[in-house]
Each structure stands twice: as structure tokens, then as C-alpha cells.
Amino acid sequence: MLKQMLKSNVVDGIERSMGHLSDPRVLSSIRVQSTIRQSLRESLVRRGFLEISPTMLSPLTDPLNHPVYDPYITAYGEKLWLTKSMIFHKQIAVQQLGKIFIMSPNIRLETEDKLSSGRHLFEFTQIDLEALETTREEMICLAEEIINEALERVAAVNSAELEFLKRKVKPFRRPFDAITYLDAREKFGDDFESKLSQQSESPVWIVDIPIEAREFYDREYPDRPGILRDMDLIWPEGFQEALSGGEREFQYDRILERIRRKNQTEEQFRWFTELARKGIRMSSGFGIGIERFTRFVCGLEHVMLTNPFPKVPGVVSL
Ligand code: ASP
Ligand code: MG
């Protein structure tokens, strides 16, 4: 099915791209996505968050915790990476601005095997947000509120699209369920994210992620070595990851220690560590993938159906 979709809709030049753009599922999901974007934006602005410009090229970007191809351009004699996420930029900007968000285009050149996952695009948008001196628990509460507000808005605005897609949408009962990473793995095995998602009818938080499963920037519990004060949210019905986030390491010596544990170098993150050495305040945040949110709401087989010009791993297209 996916191969056929790719063949008939995307890979074969402009005519195929126009075919994708006239697929009624794509047209419906784009309308739904527009509502989701507007609702999330308004929910954040109403709570005092400032929207800032995206950064797309920088000497500093998210190292991620899984292998991707790593594109950069050379400009003015320096390497500038394409943004994988604005994690450091938001941690820096929030020091002055207090509460921020970005509709952030991210480039993550995932390996070709991700083609069939149904949920990877190598170019996507996340609403990436950060707030100063907030806890993970406050971020969890904020995420539940803004997700539910978006679901309520879609239900009110997009009834025609939902009817066509045969989807029912309503806010979920709060608080959402939560399970620790280690409990989830014990209960469902290594494939716990997928299993947990498949057997759930509401979103589920996975909290307290072990240090090796995350990037160096999420904060370790001061009194529980090896466990982080962070979280993922899993969409129900098998749609898997909705968002990632957590509290951040902010103490210089802790940051250096965490970088070393990943066998990364301070030099790689110099633009950030130099500021941390002078002192930064604690912050927390998360990033919600807009296309994955849309895919879940619309109940679509592949996230490519949520983007007019989808970039599927391993496939070059318009
Ligand atoms: N924006 C981060 C990411 O892309 C998520 C976070 O805020 O931790 O991984
Ligand atoms: Mg991350």
C-alpha cells in the first residue's frame, strides 16, 4: 500500500505531486492541520507565550539520540547545520523572554528503513516551546490543556473533513494516564511504545526515561542517578509518539558530565556551554510534531498524507 502510494503520488515528478495534492485525504488533513496550528498557537499566546522566529541554519543543533544523516552547508568559512531541533536556541532565548514557542521547521535525514514506519518525514514542523523555572509536571499539564483545546476546536470547525475521514474527535479525560519507561518496558517488552499505543484509547505519558535513551540536555533527577525528569506522550490506536520534552540540565558541571557520558565533546556545543558556564536558569519544554498530530486526528495510514509536499525518508520529491 505504501509503495503504491509513493509510486502513484510522490516519486514521479510534478504530475505525481499534483496527484498527491488532489487526494481528498490530503486535502482534508491539510484543513484539519490548519485548525490544529491555529488552536495551538492561540492556546500558547493566551497563556503568555511569545512566538519567535525559527532558526534554520546554525553552528549548533540538536545531537538527537538516534542516527540520522547530518547535513550542513558551508558559509563564510564555517559549517552551519540544518536545524534538527531548536532545543538549545529555545533554552538560550527563554533566559530573556520567559515563555516562548516556535513553529519550527526541522530537517532530520532519517535512514531509508524509516520509510515504512508511517510516521517519519525528513522535513517536518514541530511547535517547540520552553518556559523558565517550570517543572515537568507543569509542562505535562500545559500539554494536556493545549492538546484538548485543539481537539475541541477541530471537532467544532472540521466536521465535514472528519465525516469524510470517518473520525470522531473529542477532548480526552484528564489527567492522561502515565507509566514510567522502565515499567512500560517490563510490561510490554522492547517494543513497548508501539504496544502501549496500540492497546490504548487515550494518550499515555511515558515518564522517567533512562539516561541512555535520551540526549544529554534532559535533566537527571538530583536524587535518582540515571533517570531523567522528562516525558514522551504516546498517541493511542497505534499512532505512537506525540511529543517529547522535559526539564533541562542547566548547571555547567552537570552539562559537561552529561556531554562526556555521550562521548560527545564540549567543542561541539561551545555556543551553548559558554553561556551555561556564565550561568543559566532552569527551564522546561516540549515539542509537538504537527504532522503526527494531524495524522492521529485524521486516522491516516502515513504521515505523508498530512503534508502537501511530503519528504519521506529515502525518497526525493517536490
Ligand atoms: N524539541 C525537542 C526535540 O525535538 C523536544 C524537547 O523539547 O525536548 O527533541
Ligand atoms: Mg529530544
Side-chain angles (χ1 to χ4, degrees), residues 33-315:
Q33 184 176 129
S34 179
T35 308
I36 293 172
R37 285 173 180 262
Q38 195 184 340
S39 178
L40 291 173
R41 201 174 226 147
E42 285 177 17
S43 292
L44 291 170
V45 169
R46 213 177 323 117
R47 288 168 174 78
F49 282 77
L50 293 169
E51 181 169 5
I52 65 169
S53 297
T55 286
M56 300 189 67
L57 289 172
S58 174
L60 178 67
T61 192
D62 193 331
L64 303 181
N65 205 48
H66 69 281
V68 291
Y69 304 114
D70 201 9
Y72 61 83
I73 66 162
T74 308
Y76 315 114
E78 299 276 344
K79 280 183 181 172
L80 297 177
W81 272 267
L82 276 64
T83 293
K84 297 197 203 83
S85 96
M86 281 178 63
I87 181 70
F88 301 113
H89 294 80
K90 62 180 188 166
Q91 220 183 319
I92 292 167
V94 82
Q95 303 297 321
Q96 306 298 332
L97 294 166
K99 284 168 153 190
I100 53 167
F101 75 96
I102 312 115
M103 297 294 238
S104 182
N106 287 187
I107 301 291
R108 299 185 185 179
L109 295 186
E110 304 286 351
T111 48
E112 290 82 349
D113 55 299
K114 298 273 172 58
L115 167 71
S116 55
S117 73
R119 57 198 176 89
H120 290 92
L121 293 175
F122 66 80
E123 178 182 59
F124 64 94
T125 304
Q126 62 172 320
I127 289 207
D128 214 359
L129 62 91
E130 196 78 8
L132 210 51
E133 271 145 19
T134 49
T135 62
R136 174 184 68 180
E137 285 64 32
E138 289 167 314
M139 279 295 146
I140 285 178
C141 186
L142 172 69
E144 292 185 3
E145 285 174 12
I146 68 176
I147 286 169
N148 269 353
E149 286 169 17
L151 295 172
E152 211 167 325
R153 179 85 70 96
V154 169
V157 171
N158 295 106
S159 50
E161 288 76 23
L162 294 175
E163 196 178 323
F164 169 73
L165 294 161
K166 299 189 174 55
R167 285 298 269 180
K168 288 209 162 41
V169 171
K170 61 175 173 42
F172 291 103
R173 193 167 49 82
R174 296 189 51 217
F176 300 169
D177 287 343
I179 185 169
T180 68
Y181 183 101
L182 293 177
D183 284 352
R185 200 169 62 188
E186 196 179 303
K187 201 161 161 201
F188 299 102
D190 283 346
D191 198 16
F192 62 88
E193 193 173 314
S194 153
K195 297 235 170 65
L196 186 58
S197 174
Q198 274 162 27
Q199 64 131 60
S200 303
E201 284 173 9
S202 307
V204 185
W205 293 106
I206 295 180
V207 297
D208 297 354
I209 299 170
I211 207 161
E212 63 279 2
R214 267 304 174 80
E215 300 85 349
F216 76 80
Y217 49 74
D218 283 353
R219 181 173 178 229
E220 198 174 11
Y221 274 87
D223 52 351
R224 289 173 65 193
I227 304 292
L228 305 179
R229 290 200 40 79
D230 61 0
M231 72 285 187
D232 273 1
L233 183 69
I234 306 301
W235 290 125
E237 301 174 56
F239 288 98
Q240 302 198 43
E241 188 182 328
L243 67 80
S244 294
E247 294 175 10
R248 315 301 178 190
E249 291 290 1
F250 61 100
Q251 290 155 304
Y252 181 60
D253 55 335
R254 298 285 321 129
I255 292 171
L256 291 192
E257 162 65 15
R258 296 288 304 280
I259 291 175
R260 261 184 242 119
R261 281 188 69 153
K262 287 280 179 203
N263 292 321
Q264 290 160 343
T265 61
E266 188 184 349
E267 173 58 22
Q268 214 181 319
F269 304 103
R270 168 170 59 86
W271 295 80
F272 173 66
T273 52
E274 276 172 16
L275 187 72
R277 182 156 51 87
K278 294 194 189 118
I280 54 176
R281 285 187 285 166
M282 194 193 119
S283 63
S284 300
F286 59 85
I288 307 185
I290 296 292
E291 291 85 355
R292 288 178 173 183
F293 196 156
T294 311
R295 176 186 176 224
F296 162 66
V297 169
C298 295
L300 297 169
E301 179 192 6
H302 199 285
V303 70
M304 67 185 282
L305 295 169
T306 69
N307 188 307
F309 304 106
K311 303 301 185 307
V312 185
V315 179

